């Protein structure tokens, strides 16, 4: 079979892309779970949250029915705490360090409780924050993703006027365009951006792209400071013959289309191979299955020990019926009449450790072949090196270089998030935005 769209009925799409982690059914259910919390001194859950949300405090506020206080506790540390409650890999962050693991019992469902508090705050736009008096300072933020939004909100709270320049037609960045729809819906992302801007003092100029419709030089001239939160975006290529065939897709583009065009409009193969095993690979594989592919096979060149996705994400892929071939790498994509028909792979084994101590996969000489009509590349994203060089920003292979105060080599220009660290979790980008705002406030002598 070839790549086609509209494989399922409307009901099947709704079912396959519905909320994967249903919320608490009511307040009592949330309070029962919240009341299990031991309110640990020096709480390890808070220590393992990159934005250091005071988790025992917000959980205690839920038990006393102080939902507004609870939402304030979360959102004052992480303004995207609503979205993070849906997409954070909590099993390796807060929930993973809950002391209940030591007791051999299930951890407190921190993400579900966080969602319980924040969802209502966002839906009803609770006015939890007030702006300080205007400081007569203007800052441009490039990118309305998690880093940019977090930075903008922190600056605006201090009375700074912020204009965000965003190349897409919606805000939210990776949350809006790069995550599986069954984790967080596009509608929720829109509501979260509206909630953030409802503070006031933040204007978003959509469809405005740095380096195309606006230059960094212009922003430097017009604003007292500039924050760059442009993320990463270019898919790493496989570098194998046949990559240009119809049916070879980039995972980021595939996920973007699912989120922007509607499920029936996105073509999917019947037999799909996904290359890579990060979060994006899992999101692409599971969604290919949920769009109606009959077989999805994930190729990963290392073993389960080294996989970049979490155990929970791997289990999700398995639950959705995806097959994983460990220690396997593509070496050629073959096709007929320009359309993919076969993926040739090579068996790998782990060799000597590299400089980072990670064992390097090496070919065993054994090959295999898969009948496929679609190949999805999910081998990581690269920085926007050309743009960064065009802006004359110091960088390492496209990653913007900053000092500890988030400052770049250009005076008054700050940067943070994926464009600096090369790509981490949403919650790391939120913290980077907060750090960037602090650095800008010091630079503007507001703090
Ligand atoms: Fe509560 Fe677990 Fe955090 Fe302790 S570690 S404060 S029990 S959520």
């Amino acid at each position: 079979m070839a790549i086609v769209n509209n494989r399922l009925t409307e009901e099947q799409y709704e079912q396959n892309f519905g909320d994967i982690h249903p919320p608490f059914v009511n307040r009592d259910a949330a309070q029962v779970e919240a009341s299990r919390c031991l309110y640990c001194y020096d709480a390890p859950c808070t220590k393992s949250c990159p934005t250091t949300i005071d988790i025992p405090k917000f959980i205690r506020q839920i038990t006393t029915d102080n939902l507004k206080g609870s939402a304030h506790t979360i959102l004052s540390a992480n303004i995207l705490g609503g979205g993070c409650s849906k997409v954070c890999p909590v099993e390796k962050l807060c929930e993973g360090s809950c002391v209940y693991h030591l007791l051999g019992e299930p951890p407190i469902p921190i993400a579900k409780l966080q969602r319980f508090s924040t969802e209502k705050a966002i839906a009803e736009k609770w006015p939890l924050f007030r702006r300080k008096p205007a400081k007569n300072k203007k800052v441009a933020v490039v990118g309305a993703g998690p880093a940019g939004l977090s930075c903008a909100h922190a600056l605006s709270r201090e009375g700074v006027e912020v204009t965000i320049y965003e190349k897409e037609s919606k805000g939210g960045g990776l949350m809006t365009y790069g995550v599986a729809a069954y984790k967080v819906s596009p509608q929720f992302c829109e509501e979260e951006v509206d909630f953030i801007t409802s503070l006031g003092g933040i204007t978003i100029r959509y469809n405005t792209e740095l380096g195309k419709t606006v230059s960094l030089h212009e922003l430097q001239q017009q604003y007292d400071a500039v924050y760059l939160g442009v993320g990463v975006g270019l898919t790493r290529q496989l570098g194998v013959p046949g990559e240009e065939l119809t049916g070879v897709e980039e995972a980021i583009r595939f996920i973007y289309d699912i989120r922007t065009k509607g499920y029936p409009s996105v073509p999917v193969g019947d037999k799909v191979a996904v290359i890579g095993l990060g979060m994006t690979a899992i999101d692409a594989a599971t969604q290919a299955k949920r769009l109606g592919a009959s077989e999805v096979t994930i190729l990963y060149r290392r073993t389960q020990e080294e996989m970049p996705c979490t155990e929970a994400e791997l289990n999700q892929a398995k639950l959705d019926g995806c097959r994983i071939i460990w220690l396997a790498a593509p070496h050629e994509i073959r096709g007929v009449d320009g359309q993919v028909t076969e993926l040739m792979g090579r068996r790998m084994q782990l060799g000597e450790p590299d400089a980072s101590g990670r064992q390097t996969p090496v070919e065993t000489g054994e090959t295999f072949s898969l009948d496929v009509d679609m190949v999805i590349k999910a081998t990581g994203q690269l920085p926007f090196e050309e743009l960064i060089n065009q802006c004359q920003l110091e960088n390492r292979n496209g990653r913007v270089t900053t000092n500890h105060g988030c400052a770049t080599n250009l005076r008054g220009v700050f940067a943070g998030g994926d464009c600096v660290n090369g790509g981490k979790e949403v919650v790391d980008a939120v913290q980077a935005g907060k750090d960037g705002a602090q650095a800008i406030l010091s630079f503007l002598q507001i703090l």
Side-chain angles (χ1 to χ4, degrees):
M1 280 179 78
I3 295 190
V4 295
N5 53 17
N6 214 2
R7 285 186 184 273
L8 308 175
T9 65
E10 206 171 305
E11 293 73 37
Q12 285 172 312
Y13 284 120
E14 285 307 315
Q15 200 180 346
N16 289 355
F17 289 92
D19 204 334
I20 196 170
H21 297 302
F24 287 113
V25 285
N26 55 33
R27 188 188 60 179
D28 288 352
Q31 287 189 333
V32 166
E33 283 296 336
S35 63
R36 288 178 57 229
C37 180
L38 303 172
Y39 312 118
C40 306
Y41 172 74
D42 232 7
C45 51
T46 290
K47 280 187 174 169
S48 62
C49 171
T51 58
T52 56
I53 294 173
D54 190 339
I55 292 167
K57 182 177 174 187
F58 96 70
I59 292 180
R60 188 186 286 275
Q61 287 166 317
I62 291 176
T63 62
T64 57
D65 213 15
N66 177 6
L67 218 53
K68 280 194 178 153
S70 174
H72 185 268
T73 301
I74 297 163
L75 298 170
S76 56
N78 179 346
I79 194 59
L80 280 98
C84 284
S85 75
K86 298 166 187 254
V87 304
C88 256
V90 288
E91 57 283 350
K92 68 176 184 189
L93 297 174
C94 56
E95 290 182 19
S97 44
C98 178
V99 295
Y100 268 104
H101 288 289
L102 301 174
L103 306 172
E105 290 184 36
I108 302 293
I110 300 169
K112 202 168 170 180
L113 290 165
Q114 183 167 316
R115 176 177 174 175
F116 179 70
S117 291
T118 52
E119 229 169 31
K120 211 165 161 57
I122 291 167
E124 298 179 7
K125 286 209 184 93
W126 287 346
L128 298 173
F129 301 98
R130 283 230 187 105
R131 298 186 72 208
K132 289 186 182 168
K135 299 293 190 307
N136 198 25
K137 296 286 182 192
K138 297 186 303 177
V139 172
V141 169
V142 184
L149 289 169
S150 161
C151 182
H153 195 265
L155 289 171
S156 180
R157 278 166 69 182
E158 294 297 326
V160 174
E161 284 296 315
V162 182
T163 304
I164 304 180
Y165 292 82
E166 169 56 48
K167 67 178 179 180
E168 297 289 346
S169 60
K170 289 179 183 166
L174 181 77
M175 291 277 281
T176 298
Y177 293 106
V179 176
Y182 56 75
K183 289 184 187 164
V184 58
S185 70
Q187 191 202 335
F188 174 83
C189 293
E190 211 163 327
E191 286 173 12
E192 188 166 50
V193 173
D194 288 348
F195 173 78
I196 292 167
T197 55
S198 68
L199 171 69
I202 304 172
T203 306
I204 306 184
R205 293 203 185 153
Y206 291 111
N207 304 307
T208 310
E209 187 170 354
L210 183 68
K212 290 195 177 150
T213 34
V214 66
S215 72
L216 182 56
H217 184 66
E218 283 167 330
L219 297 179
Q220 286 178 281
Q221 304 270 303
Q222 292 167 24
Y223 294 89
D224 297 300
V226 180
Y227 180 77
L228 301 173
V230 295
V232 290
L234 308 172
T235 298
R236 200 186 299 274
Q237 299 304 304
L238 301 175
V240 301
E243 212 166 342
E244 72 296 341
L245 289 168
T246 303
V248 181
E249 299 282 341
E250 295 182 355
I252 279 291
R253 170 55 55 181
F254 180 62
I255 295 169
Y256 179 97
D257 286 348
I258 291 171
R259 296 189 67 89
T260 53
K261 293 182 177 169
Y263 315 125
S265 310
V266 182
V268 67
D270 186 53
K271 295 183 177 179
V272 179
V274 176
I275 316 297
L277 196 57
M279 184 200 80
T280 302
I282 298 286
D283 283 5
T286 52
Q287 290 191 110
K289 203 80 174 68
R290 287 162 187 252
L291 282 174
S294 66
E295 280 178 25
V296 174
T297 307
I298 301 173
L299 269 64
Y300 181 54
R301 61 199 190 119
R302 290 186 162 91
T303 71
Q304 189 166 344
E305 295 269 292
E306 295 85 21
M307 67 179 181
C309 70
T310 65
E311 198 79 28
E313 286 166 338
L314 178 69
N315 289 340
Q316 187 58 53
K318 287 180 178 172
L319 270 176
D320 280 8
C322 302
R323 181 168 71 114
I324 293 118
I325 305 183
W326 304 101
L327 291 165
H331 83 100
E332 186 180 350
I333 303 168
R334 293 180 180 168
V336 173
D337 297 333
Q339 163 67 46
V340 173
T341 55
E342 187 180 9
L343 176 73
M344 303 299 294
R346 285 200 170 122
R347 305 273 178 200
M348 313 296 282
Q349 64 185 10
L350 294 181
E352 292 300 313
D354 61 16
S356 68
R358 245 179 142 207
Q359 282 181 281
T360 311
V362 289
E363 293 171 7
T364 61
E366 194 187 332
T367 60
F368 65 93
S369 149
L370 291 176
D371 284 342
V372 292
D373 50 14
M374 186 177 195
V375 176
I376 301 178
K377 299 184 278 188
T379 44
Q381 287 172 264
L382 298 168
F384 296 109
E385 192 167 356
E386 200 182 321
L387 171 67
I388 299 304
N389 282 325
Q390 183 194 324
C391 293
Q392 300 186 327
L393 289 157
E394 275 179 12
N395 66 85
R396 281 190 210 98
N397 302 323
R399 289 190 200 185
V400 181
T401 312
T402 58
N403 67 14
H404 291 303
C406 310
T408 69
N409 59 306
L410 304 178
R411 184 173 159 72
V413 179
F414 299 78
D418 288 357
C419 68
V420 171
N421 64 35
K424 285 190 171 180
E425 305 296 344
V426 169
V427 67
D428 294 298
V430 175
Q431 184 58 37
K434 283 164 62 185
D435 294 341
Q438 289 304 305
I440 291 170
L441 292 168
S442 299
F443 173 74
L444 299 177
Q445 298 185 327
I446 290 174
L447 285 182

